[in-house]
Amino acid sequence: MRGGGLLVAGTTSDAGKSVVTAGICRWLVRQGVKVAPFKGQNMSLNSFVTREGAEIGRAQAMQAQAARVEPTALMNPVLLKPGGDRSSQVVLMGKPVGEMSARGYHGGRQQTLFEPVLACLEELRATHDAVICEGAGSPAEINLRRTDIVNMGIARAARLPVVVVGDIDRGGVFAQFFGTTALLAPEDQELVAGYLVNKFRGDVTLLEPGLDMLHGLTGRRTYGVLPYAHGLGIDEEDGLRVSLRGTVRESVVAPPVGADVLRVAVCAVPLMSNFTDVDALAAEPGVIVRFVDRPEELADADLVVVPGTRGTVKALAWLRERGLADTLARRAAEGRPVLGVCGGFQALGEHIEDEVESRAGSVEGLGLLPVRVRFAREKTLARPVGEALGERVEGYEIHHGVAEVLGGEPFLDGCRVGAVWGTHWHGSLESDGFRRAFLREVAAAAGRAFVPAPDTSFGALREEQLDRLGDLIEEHADTDALLRLIEDGAPEGLPFVPPGAP
């Protein structure tokens, strides 16, 4: 096999496309297939920096790990990073090329990106046995079909078979499968081979009559019914909504090693980015991580994290409006731990000059760290390696803000004052020795008898999670039929389901 492919589409956003794509990649690589992931256009605030210094969606980096290949810009040529309700930063081949409104993007710019996106896909197909592509949102968004470069647009251009994933846990999955197919043009329907049910709870035999009726209505089969899987903790694309206040990051079910647990509260700032930074904390036995947006929710927290954000000045205003800024100041005065990462680090500083991101000009920070920040037009994209707390640390940087550190103790690229730490480095807590040393410092400052587990390996846990995704595909999907799809394309003679696209 050389150059095989498949597009994993979804009935909705968050139907499970990312994890299904990763699961198929892990299943294939375990069969000896050289496979790569691909998403032509991704909208996400969760991003990653490749070794060549390109910014791509973090979900594609996770899928590359599932495929056991090094992530590259080819795997996500277009990344849109929302900066507000109506505009996004456009990242092309890993580098920002400007801000654009949704109307401007869909009004013309998106179409100009189609050829580069298709070229990236074809380059991957030329060098791999198979490429598993992830769609975006739903392929039945008929208002956007004319400019589509990530769903049926790319599938039709590259002649990719399509499997549509639906989240049955939300209900209405049969209507979603039927309606998605029936709203596609005949030429698009020719490529929709069938469906994959995600997040099913219960007895599959009770579902089978519905799947048979769906086959009768559409002429398309269901390639598998994946059960609801708890505790995957796989990187997500979209930031947590404030309506999910109190959401707890899933963690390993293991008791603490010491006498106490350690409670971590993450401020759910607007435009929160790379909130996956705290996944490594949640992986530690006895560490409880939750997202909060009220001052009283910080009262019992042993560590407060101010995470990355695509809008540092907006996050600062939000912290002040909510009363969280005053609470953070009291914590700092009392020697209670606070960690700022990237935009959160910038917010903890004394002063910000921003004529780039918010164009707000001169803005006072929270003043908890002796740092002054100036926003540069060129984005810093790096994969630094260093040492802190006596341990080796790796991370990655994605920011426009340039920090001038004026005092405190050195801490990675930032500084520490008392129990307040700040750094631009994302992913630093995935370094096991450093994470344990940091948690020991936090526990001591918080007065907790918490002891980090001596053998927690975040990398090993991530590999276990990816293997679980591969197991879901191997055990609950018709893998022989999926392999035929990837090798041979969509079956001939799939029937048209009316009415089709208007």
Side-chain angles (χ1 to χ4, degrees), residues 148-502:
D148 171 44
I149 65 171
V150 65
N151 289 308
M152 301 312 300
I154 199 77
R156 199 193 296 187
R159 302 306 299 169
L160 293 172
V162 179
V163 172
V164 181
V165 177
D167 179 355
I168 197 170
D169 195 52
R170 294 181 173 186
V173 76
F174 293 116
Q176 293 170 17
F177 284 145
F178 181 86
T180 297
T181 308
L183 278 176
L184 299 178
E187 297 84 356
D188 289 344
Q189 287 194 26
E190 288 176 3
L191 297 171
V192 178
Y195 314 108
L196 195 64
V197 177
N198 192 30
K199 296 185 181 180
F200 180 71
R201 308 175 192 249
D203 185 347
V204 176
T205 60
L206 298 176
L207 193 64
E208 288 171 351
L211 300 178
D212 291 340
M213 285 187 275
L214 182 67
H215 185 271
L217 288 165
T218 67
R220 290 159 174 83
R221 57 166 299 174
T222 298
Y223 284 82
V225 178
L226 308 183
Y228 196 105
H230 291 277
L232 288 174
I234 293 296
D235 296 358
E236 301 164 73
E237 287 191 347
D238 302 315
L240 296 174
R241 301 170 186 88
V242 172
S243 62
L244 293 180
R245 179 183 57 79
T247 294
V248 177
R249 293 300 278 174
E250 294 174 337
S251 57
V252 291
V253 181
V257 175
D260 284 345
V261 297
L262 209 62
R263 294 174 175 83
V264 179
V266 184
C267 297
V269 297
L271 300 174
M272 180 165 47
S273 62
N274 290 72
F275 59 85
T276 46
D277 282 337
V278 300
D279 284 351
L281 295 178
E284 284 284 348
V287 176
I288 301 165
V289 177
R290 67 185 189 274
F291 290 83
V292 304
D293 65 355
R294 296 176 180 169
E296 57 269 25
E297 293 174 306
L298 304 186
D300 68 343
D302 302 305
L303 169 66
V304 174
V305 178
V306 186
T309 171
R310 173 86 165 87
T312 300
V313 170
K314 182 178 287 189
L316 260 173
W318 182 88
L319 290 167
R320 288 178 168 127
E321 289 164 4
R322 299 248 169 181
L324 290 160
D326 291 338
T327 304
L328 289 170
R330 284 195 298 271
R331 287 186 65 93
E334 294 165 0
R336 302 177 66 198
V338 176
L339 170 66
V341 180
C342 201
F345 164 46
Q346 295 166 6
L348 295 181
E350 296 173 350
H351 188 80
I352 293 171
E353 288 289 336
D354 182 11
E355 299 292 350
V356 176
E357 189 175 77
S358 68
R359 298 181 176 85
S362 182
V363 178
E364 293 305 307
L366 298 184
L368 305 186
L369 290 174
V371 174
R372 298 179 71 86
V373 177
R374 177 186 53 81
F375 275 71
R377 297 203 174 276
E378 186 170 338
K379 182 184 284 190
T380 296
L381 297 169
R383 288 278 295 268
V385 177
E387 184 176 304
L389 305 180
E391 300 285 347
R392 185 177 185 273
V393 191
E394 294 184 32
Y396 57 100
E397 294 184 60
I398 307 169
H399 54 92
H400 283 278
V402 178
E404 181 185 7
V405 178
L406 303 172
E409 301 175 42
F411 179 70
L412 300 176
D413 69 319
C415 64
R416 169 189 183 176
V417 174
V420 180
W421 294 265
T423 177
H424 276 127
W425 290 20
H426 294 291
S428 63
L429 294 167
E430 295 179 18
S431 298
D432 297 324
F434 168 72
R435 182 181 64 255
R436 286 192 279 268
F438 178 71
L439 288 176
R440 282 193 289 269
E441 294 260 351
V442 168
R448 294 284 187 187
F450 170 84
V451 179
D455 55 357
T456 301
S457 167
F458 184 76
L461 288 171
R462 177 50 52 88
E463 278 296 304
E464 289 174 15
Q465 291 164 333
L466 294 172
D467 274 331
R468 287 180 62 195
L469 291 182
D471 294 342
L472 284 175
I473 298 299
E474 189 168 340
E475 296 168 12
H476 301 282
D478 186 337
T479 51
D480 289 339
L482 279 177
L483 198 57
R484 285 195 298 274
L485 267 187
I486 292 167
E487 291 179 332
D488 303 331
E492 296 290 333
L494 290 168
F496 172 69
V497 180

